[in-house]
Amino acid sequence: MLTKTPVALSLAALFSASVAAQSQAIEHITVTANKFEQPIENVLASVDVITRDDIERAGVRDLPSLLSNFAGIDVVRSGGQGQTTSLFIRGAASRHSLVVVDGVRIGSASLGYKSLEAVPLNSIERVEIIRGARAAWYGSDALAGVINIITRTGDSRSVSLSSGSDNYVNAQGAYAFTQGNFKAAFNLGYEKTDGYNVTTNQDPDHDGYENTNMGARLGYDFNRFGAVEFIGQYSDAEVEYDGSSSDLSHFETYHLSLGWQKSHGAFAHSLKTALVKDDNLNSLQNPYEGYVANHYITERDEVSYQLNYAVNDALTVSSGLDYYYEDVGDSVNAYASGDQPKSGFTQQTRSNKGVYVGAYFDNETLQTNLVVRNDDHSAFGGEATYNLSVGVPLADIATLRASYGTGFKAPTFNDASSIWGTNPNLEPEESTNAELGLRIAVGGAQYDLALYQNKFDNLIAWGMNGPENVDQASFEGIEVSAQLEDVFGLVHSANFSYVDAQDDNTGQDLVLRAKRSVNWGVGKQFDKWYVGAQLQYRSSRESYYRTHLPSYTLVNLNAQYQLVDNLRFDFSVENLTDKEYVTNVAGTDWSTGAITSEYIGSERKVVAGLTLTL
C-alpha cells in the first residue's frame, strides 16, 4: 500500500489531473517493450528510444555515457572507460535490471548482471530503455527495468576513424545490403585508449582499455514459410585498473541466435534459439610465478517461442514459452582448495522455464495491458508475477497511465552456491512496482511525467553465516522529461529525476544513489553544421563507507560538419570545464576508517574524426 509520503500524495493527485491543449499526434515510434513490435503510444510504461542517429550525434564513447542522459538512470563509474560501472535504474542496483541483446538474455550468471561498459557502441543500432517492473514479460532480474539493445540492422554503409586525448583511437565500419528476399548487415570495430590514472594514492599509472568487436545479421524471407534470421555478435576487450590481487581484466563475450517469424492471418509466430558466452579473466599485468587468476565463465543456452493472436482491431492476445540453461562449470576460483570445486561453485548448472500470457486492448477510449507469468526455476521452484496497466487517452494529445506489477530475481551462483557459504533456505528477491504516468504531445513538443513507488523484499545480504534474505528497500521517485523541437531556434531534450532510495531495515539512504539528477541537451542544425551541448548534474551521495561524495555538474560539446556529400567531420569535448570530481571511494584505512584512495572522474577529453558514407 502506498504510504502518505510526498511522492505518494503526488501519485494520487495525478489521477485527477486534466490536460487542455491543441491536438497533436504522438510521434509514431515502434518499440518491443512487450516483446513484440508496438507503437510507443500503446506501451503503458516509461520508455525511451535511442536510435543510431542519436548515438552518432551524441558524441559519447561508451554505452554507460549514452544511457546516463536519460531520466531515471544514474551511472556511477569506478574508473574510466571499460572499467566497472554501476547502473542504477530508479535507484535499484545493477543486478535488478535486465539487459537483453537482440531479445537474448546476456551477462554473467555469477554476478547476476551484464557489464555494460564492455558493450561497444559500434555494434548498436538501437536501444530501448524500459523503466519499471517487467518480470511478467522477461522473468527474473527485470525488477527495476530492462535495457533492450538491438544490434546493427538498417542500410548503413560507412567507415569512420577518430582519435583524441589519452591516445584514443576508434576505427569502425558497417555495411548492409538487400538482394531480393535476402538481407545482410555487418559491423566491425576497434577501440583503444591509454586512459588516465583513475584513483588517488594508489598505483600511479594510466589505466587503459582496448576492444575489438564484430557482428553479422543475415536474414531471408521465404514468404509463405516465414522469415529466418541469424545474428552473431562478438567482443574481445582488455581493461587495466588499480587493484592489489588483480589489475587486468580480459572480457570475451558473444551471442549467436537463430530466429524464425511467420504471420498468417490473425496469428504471428516467433521462435528463437540462442547461445551466449560471458568470459571474464581477472589477472595481473605482471603476474608472479605461481599466480592463479580468477576466471569466471558463463555459458547460456536459450529457447523462446511467442504467439500473438489479433482477436480484432482492438484486442491482441500474446502468449509465450521461454527456457534457459546456465553453466558456470568452466570457471576457475583462485582460492578454491583441493577438496573444493575449482569453479568455486558447489552447484554449477541450473535452468529456468517460463510461461506467460497477456492481453492488449485499445479501443481509442481505453487501453489496458494485462500479463501473468509463471517461472519454474530448477533451484528455487515456482515464482508467479503479473503486471496490470491502464491507459486513458485525453483530448487526443495525451495518455494518462497507471500500472502495478511484481518482479523477482533468482539468487545468483555467487549467492546460492559459493564455496564460501550456502543457504538451503535462500529465496528469490521480490518486488512490487506502482506507477502513474502522463505522456503529452502538443505543438511539436513531447512531455512525459512518471511517479513511482517500488518495494523490494527478501533482498540478499551476506552475514557471518553466509547469504540471507534479510534486507528490504523502498524507492519512491518522480521523472519529468521533455522533447522540444524549436525553442529559440534550438532542439531541446531535458529531464529531471528525483529518487528517495532507502534501506527499510535501518532507515538510511542507500549508498551511491544521487537523489536529484538533471540532464539537458540542446542542438542546432546550421546548414552543413550540427552543434550540440549537454549538461549533467548529479546531487551528492554517500559512498559504501558512509562518506560524503559531493555533487557535480559536467558540460559536454559535440559537433558534426558535412565536408562533402559522403564525408563528415565529427568533434566532441567531454567535461568541457575540466571539472575535478569524485565518483566513488577506492580504499580506506580499516583501523581508522579514513579514506585513503578515491575514484576520480575523467578530465577534459577531446576526440575528432571522419566518417565516410559508402
mmCIF file of all heavy atoms in Angstrom, residues 174 250 321 455 482 517 556 559 588 603 614:
data_model
loop_
_atom_site.group_PDB
_atom_site.id
_atom_site.type_symbol
_atom_site.label_atom_id
_atom_site.label_comp_id
_atom_site.label_asym_id
_atom_site.label_seq_id
_atom_site.Cartn_x
_atom_site.Cartn_y
_atom_site.Cartn_z
ATOM 1 N N ALA A 174 30.563 -0.358 -41.037
ATOM 2 C CA ALA A 174 29.286 -1.070 -41.136
ATOM 3 C C ALA A 174 28.904 -1.157 -42.604
ATOM 4 O O ALA A 174 29.106 -0.208 -43.366
ATOM 5 C CB ALA A 174 28.199 -0.353 -40.343
ATOM 6 N N HIS A 250 40.215 -9.317 -18.717
ATOM 7 C CA HIS A 250 40.032 -9.645 -20.122
ATOM 8 C C HIS A 250 38.619 -10.187 -20.299
ATOM 9 O O HIS A 250 38.229 -11.155 -19.653
ATOM 10 C CB HIS A 250 41.063 -10.689 -20.572
ATOM 11 C CG HIS A 250 40.907 -11.082 -22.001
ATOM 12 N ND1 HIS A 250 40.660 -12.371 -22.411
ATOM 13 C CD2 HIS A 250 40.942 -10.341 -23.145
ATOM 14 C CE1 HIS A 250 40.558 -12.414 -23.725
ATOM 15 N NE2 HIS A 250 40.731 -11.200 -24.193
ATOM 16 N N LEU A 321 6.525 -19.082 -24.340
ATOM 17 C CA LEU A 321 7.307 -20.005 -23.521
ATOM 18 C C LEU A 321 8.769 -19.631 -23.694
ATOM 19 O O LEU A 321 9.204 -19.292 -24.794
ATOM 20 C CB LEU A 321 7.112 -21.457 -23.977
ATOM 21 C CG LEU A 321 5.692 -22.022 -24.029
ATOM 22 C CD1 LEU A 321 5.696 -23.315 -24.831
ATOM 23 C CD2 LEU A 321 5.193 -22.294 -22.614
ATOM 24 N N LYS A 455 8.872 -1.425 -4.044
ATOM 25 C CA LYS A 455 9.192 -2.070 -2.768
ATOM 26 C C LYS A 455 9.932 -3.370 -3.067
ATOM 27 O O LYS A 455 9.439 -4.206 -3.827
ATOM 28 C CB LYS A 455 7.913 -2.377 -1.977
ATOM 29 C CG LYS A 455 7.227 -1.160 -1.370
ATOM 30 C CD LYS A 455 7.957 -0.693 -0.130
ATOM 31 C CE LYS A 455 7.146 0.375 0.613
ATOM 32 N NZ LYS A 455 7.841 0.826 1.831
ATOM 33 N N ALA A 482 11.184 16.137 -21.314
ATOM 34 C CA ALA A 482 10.618 17.000 -22.352
ATOM 35 C C ALA A 482 11.491 16.947 -23.591
ATOM 36 O O ALA A 482 12.721 16.944 -23.506
ATOM 37 C CB ALA A 482 10.509 18.436 -21.850
ATOM 38 N N SER A 517 18.844 14.277 -10.206
ATOM 39 C CA SER A 517 19.633 14.231 -11.436
ATOM 40 C C SER A 517 18.970 15.124 -12.477
ATOM 41 O O SER A 517 17.737 15.121 -12.610
ATOM 42 C CB SER A 517 19.733 12.804 -11.983
ATOM 43 O OG SER A 517 20.325 11.935 -11.046
ATOM 44 N N ASN A 556 29.341 18.848 -21.779
ATOM 45 C CA ASN A 556 29.954 18.200 -22.943
ATOM 46 C C ASN A 556 29.514 18.910 -24.216
ATOM 47 O O ASN A 556 28.396 19.441 -24.284
ATOM 48 C CB ASN A 556 29.544 16.728 -23.020
ATOM 49 C CG ASN A 556 29.879 15.969 -21.748
ATOM 50 O OD1 ASN A 556 30.953 16.136 -21.184
ATOM 51 N ND2 ASN A 556 28.948 15.134 -21.295
ATOM 52 N N ALA A 559 29.956 18.179 -32.206
ATOM 53 C CA ALA A 559 29.638 18.864 -33.463
ATOM 54 C C ALA A 559 29.892 17.927 -34.634
ATOM 55 O O ALA A 559 30.711 16.997 -34.545
ATOM 56 C CB ALA A 559 30.476 20.128 -33.607
ATOM 57 N N THR A 588 40.045 2.593 2.112
ATOM 58 C CA THR A 588 40.043 3.236 3.419
ATOM 59 C C THR A 588 41.062 2.552 4.334
ATOM 60 O O THR A 588 41.486 1.424 4.081
ATOM 61 C CB THR A 588 38.660 3.166 4.103
ATOM 62 O OG1 THR A 588 38.310 1.788 4.306
ATOM 63 C CG2 THR A 588 37.593 3.851 3.280
ATOM 64 N N GLU A 603 39.163 13.728 -16.742
ATOM 65 C CA GLU A 603 39.407 15.127 -17.043
ATOM 66 C C GLU A 603 38.906 15.433 -18.456
ATOM 67 O O GLU A 603 38.321 14.583 -19.109
ATOM 68 C CB GLU A 603 40.894 15.465 -16.902
ATOM 69 C CG GLU A 603 41.795 14.808 -17.934
ATOM 70 C CD GLU A 603 42.268 13.435 -17.530
ATOM 71 O OE1 GLU A 603 41.685 12.820 -16.611
ATOM 72 O OE2 GLU A 603 43.232 12.953 -18.163
ATOM 73 N N LEU A 614 29.580 5.081 -47.714
ATOM 74 C CA LEU A 614 29.905 4.375 -48.954
ATOM 75 C C LEU A 614 28.713 4.321 -49.909
ATOM 76 O O LEU A 614 27.564 4.373 -49.484
ATOM 77 C CB LEU A 614 30.356 2.954 -48.615
ATOM 78 C CG LEU A 614 31.538 2.854 -47.640
ATOM 79 C CD1 LEU A 614 31.838 1.410 -47.312
ATOM 80 C CD2 LEU A 614 32.760 3.545 -48.227
#
